[in-house]
Amino acid sequence: MTDAINKCSATETAACCCVDVGTIMDNTDCTASWSRVFETRPAAEVMLAALTEKARAVESEPCEINARFSEQNDGVSLDVDFIFACQAETLIFQLGLR
């Protein structure tokens, strides 16, 4: 057991050689992107409203939501970027969509 503690790097805790959360979540990626093609624009707008509601439930500060609609051969494409105040909120939002 002592040998395992000695092999831990600076980004691991000595107790269990677990990686520090700051190593994984360093607040550099606070954007969650989402995209889908819908048959109609109203259907895309309904989905945008639902996604916006989910983002608002997670945010600690106002989430910046950038939505783009574009006509496609098979319908209307909705592309959205959700920019959260911190990476933890981004992760919570993404997990909530699964």
Side-chain angles (χ1 to χ4, degrees), residues 24-34 51 54-65 80-98:
I24 299 168
M25 297 177 60
D26 57 4
N27 270 347
T28 58
D29 185 12
C30 297
T31 302
S33 297
W34 190 92
L51 292 169
K54 286 181 180 277
R56 298 292 180 224
V58 170
E59 67 187 3
S60 62
E61 295 179 21
C63 173
E64 182 181 332
I65 301 172
V80 192
D81 293 325
F82 298 88
I83 305 169
F84 290 91
C86 69
Q87 192 171 4
E89 292 173 353
T90 306
L91 181 61
I92 293 166
F93 175 74
Q94 289 170 326
L95 290 173
L97 295 179
R98 293 184 178 197

Side-chain angles (χ1 to χ4, degrees), residues 4 7 16 19 27 32 36 38 46 48 77 81:
K7 290 183 181 180
C16 65
V19 177
N27 270 347
R36 184 176 293 166
F38 295 86
V46 167
L48 177 58
S77 176
D81 293 325

Side-chain angles (χ1 to χ4, degrees), residues 66-80:
N66 300 313
R68 298 166 306 284
F69 297 93
S70 58
E71 297 294 326
Q72 304 291 321
N73 290 335
D74 54 347
V76 177
S77 176
L78 170 60
D79 300 294
V80 192

